[in-house]
């Protein structure tokens, strides 16, 4: 399963312009947690001409979030594609997989984007971007393994003494 974003304009426009209003709802989920109400609606459609390798279905997820503290309502529409054939899994299973993907997105990619400011990196040549992403993932993984949930705080703590990063890696005591 892959999220379709605006950085692939042709694919994004094809998926976004599908007749979503006419497509029946496959899954509906309503949860109250963390001082907010969240409603997720999932629609799927088989589509043979996505011009993307092995794509069999397009998905639309609409998330409504109402924050009880601020009163703010946020509506987000996300498009995905999958190689799963129609009917292979239920809408509830797809919704669970998507939530799992967003959990990974929040735990890893969000940290790389915000804490490490990966999108602002000036490293663009050859294999270097992938190598730097691997090093960032290593740092995040080491700090999470040490019990940190706030990676920015872990980085600040570790940076105060040159021996701390080595100790976190188990290189020195």
């Amino acid at each position: 399963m892959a999220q379709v974003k605006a950085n692939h304009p042709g694919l994004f426009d094809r998926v976004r312009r599908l007749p979503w209003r006419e497509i029946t709802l496959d899954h509906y989920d309503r949860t109250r947690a963390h001082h907010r109400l969240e409603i997720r609606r999932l629609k799927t459609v088989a589509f043979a001409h996505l011009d993307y390798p092995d794509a069999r279905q397009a998905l639309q997820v609409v998330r409504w979030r109402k924050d009880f503290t601020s009163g703010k309502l946020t509506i987000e529409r996300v498009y995905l594609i999958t190689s799963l054939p129609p009917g292979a899994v239920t809408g509830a299973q797809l919704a669970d997989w998507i939530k799992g993907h967003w959990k990974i997105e929040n735990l890893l990619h969000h940290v790389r984007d915000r804490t490490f400011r990966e999108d602002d990196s000036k490293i663009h040549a050859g294999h270097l971007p992938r190598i730097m992403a691997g090093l960032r993932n290593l740092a995040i993984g080491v700090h999470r393994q040490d019990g940190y949930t706030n990676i920015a705080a872990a980085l600040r703590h570790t940076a105060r003494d040159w021996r701390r990063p080595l100790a976190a890696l188990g290189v020195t005591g």
Side-chain angles (χ1 to χ4, degrees):
M1 191 168 323
Q3 187 170 346
V4 180
K5 297 181 181 179
N7 60 349
H8 293 286
L11 179 62
F12 182 74
D13 285 339
R14 281 192 298 279
V15 172
R16 187 173 54 92
R17 294 180 194 277
L18 290 171
W20 292 109
R21 290 179 192 239
E22 300 163 20
I23 297 167
T24 59
L25 193 62
D26 284 307
H27 183 71
Y28 176 87
D29 184 38
R30 181 184 174 119
T31 57
R32 289 178 73 121
H34 308 290
H35 305 287
R36 68 179 179 221
L37 170 68
E38 188 167 293
I39 297 171
R40 295 170 185 257
R41 298 167 42 106
L42 170 70
K43 293 182 177 184
T44 61
V45 63
F47 195 73
H49 303 8
L50 278 178
D51 193 28
Y52 193 85
D54 300 322
R56 303 283 301 274
Q57 291 186 87
L59 295 79
Q60 181 194 58
V61 177
V62 180
R63 293 186 297 193
W64 302 58
R65 283 194 195 120
K66 172 78 173 194
D67 187 307
F68 296 131
T69 307
S70 67
K72 181 180 176 184
L73 174 66
T74 306
I75 301 171
E76 181 181 23
R77 186 167 279 119
V78 179
Y79 301 101
L80 302 108
I81 54 174
T82 181
S83 60
L84 290 171
V89 295
T90 66
Q93 289 172 310
L94 281 172
D96 285 343
W97 289 346
I98 293 166
K99 280 178 91 172
H101 169 78
W102 281 325
K103 184 176 182 179
I104 293 168
E105 177 76 24
N106 290 336
L107 287 174
L108 180 63
H109 298 294
H110 182 76
V111 173
R112 284 178 26 194
D113 291 344
R114 299 295 178 158
T115 303
F116 288 103
R117 300 184 53 85
E118 190 173 57
D119 292 340
D120 295 336
S121 175
K122 302 296 183 209
I123 299 171
H124 300 291
H127 297 292
L128 290 177
R130 186 172 290 170
I131 291 168
M132 290 304 299
L135 291 171
R136 291 179 191 110
N137 288 346
L138 173 65
I140 293 166
V142 166
H143 289 305
R144 290 219 191 277
Q145 190 172 5
D146 278 352
Y148 287 97
T149 55
N150 184 329
I151 301 303
L155 291 170
R156 288 190 299 272
H157 173 78
T158 307
R160 290 188 188 111
D161 182 349
W162 66 270
R163 290 176 290 251
R164 288 179 182 161
L166 297 174
L169 291 169
V171 176
T172 63

